[in-house]
Amino acid sequence: MAGPIDHIVFDIGKVLIHYDPNLPYRRLIPDDAERAWFFENVCTHDWNLEQDRGRSWEDAEALLVEQFPEKEEQIRNFRRYWHEMVPYAYEDSVAIMQGLIDAGRDVTMLTNFAADTFRHAREMYPFLNKPRGVTVSGEIKLIKPDVAIYQKHARDFDLAPEATLFIDDSLANVEGARAAGWQAVHFTGAEKLRRDLSSFGIDA
């Protein structure tokens, strides 16, 4: 087992708050096949990831509207109805994070998130303001699992990598943290997280 953990770093989407772009689009594009085509060909995961890397929504929308002018309204609806994509928090995970903070643990967050939607998320979910700080990919133009974003987070928050435990729902991001010298666990639910924390000697 690794040495003691002094720093705990949480991902946000699908760890602390739910995220699903289908939620508003089930209403906006009711046909399942048409909606699937839209996400596979127009507002794709890779397209959205570039906003997490720092591209503006204006530039992102302009790029797609040029390619798919007949889909302009549906393209613009992605940002317009983004708040419906994050409809609730995972209260059990949030309770774990709050408990760690209350116990005096050093807690920060590291997230792939567009800068403006993260500001919106903080308004929707005030608990995102409780950790010591956060690194937002869209603000620094680096994204997980690039090792550089973990290194920057560690520098900015004075974390010892070997004493840092990262929690993320993406295996690729977990591996990125390990490549940066961190400890890391794959999040699949609050109960497993409690067991994972316990394995590092952390009560949650």
Side-chain angles (χ1 to χ4, degrees):
M1 177 55 66
I5 296 298
D6 296 327
H7 315 285
I8 302 169
V9 184
F10 280 81
D11 175 37
I12 296 174
K14 296 188 177 180
V15 173
L16 297 173
I17 61 176
H18 189 62
Y19 172 74
D20 183 357
N22 281 286
L23 294 174
Y25 278 93
R26 288 194 187 105
R27 178 182 76 254
L28 300 166
I29 307 177
D31 183 82
D32 290 346
E34 182 184 352
R35 187 171 63 255
W37 183 92
F38 180 80
F39 283 126
E40 289 166 8
N41 296 279
V42 186
C43 288
T44 65
H45 171 78
D46 288 345
W47 169 82
N48 189 44
L49 197 61
E50 292 307 306
Q51 285 74 270
D52 290 353
R53 201 194 302 270
R55 179 172 63 187
S56 73
W57 287 101
E58 291 77 11
D59 288 348
E61 290 175 358
L63 178 72
L64 290 188
V65 169
E66 183 178 1
Q67 293 178 281
F68 304 97
E70 75 284 1
K71 301 291 186 184
E72 178 174 1
E73 191 67 13
Q74 297 294 19
I75 291 165
R76 298 195 188 282
N77 281 340
F78 196 98
R79 177 63 185 90
R80 185 178 293 141
Y81 293 105
W82 175 85
H83 62 284
E84 294 184 28
M85 301 178 189
V86 288
Y88 59 87
Y90 297 154
E91 296 297 344
D92 46 4
S93 302
V94 174
I96 291 173
M97 184 180 77
Q98 184 62 58
L100 293 168
I101 294 169
D102 290 346
R105 291 278 181 178
D106 181 46
V107 176
T108 57
M109 301 179 297
L110 170 58
T111 183
N112 283 353
F113 228 113
D116 69 321
T117 51
F118 184 68
R119 290 192 294 271
H120 192 175
R122 275 185 143 164
E123 294 169 0
M124 295 173 68
Y125 298 108
F127 63 79
L128 293 175
N129 298 296
K130 292 184 176 180
R132 179 160 66 97
V134 59
T135 294
V136 179
S137 64
E139 295 176 356
I140 63 169
K141 296 179 168 53
L142 290 170
I143 60 171
K144 299 175 291 183
D146 185 342
V147 169
I149 195 171
Y150 305 93
Q151 293 170 334
K152 178 171 174 54
H153 186 83
R155 287 194 307 272
D156 289 350
F157 291 97
D158 195 26
L159 310 184
E162 68 280 0
T164 298
L165 178 63
F166 182 54
I167 301 156
D168 199 297
D169 67 294
S170 161
L171 276 172
N173 295 345
V174 166
E175 291 304 321
R178 290 173 178 158
W182 296 15
Q183 306 296 322
V185 296
H186 182 218
F187 178 86
T188 59
E191 285 310 306
K192 178 179 179 293
L193 177 57
R194 289 184 191 278
R195 293 195 300 272
D196 287 339
L197 289 168
S198 179
S199 75
F200 284 91
I202 300 168
D203 294 328

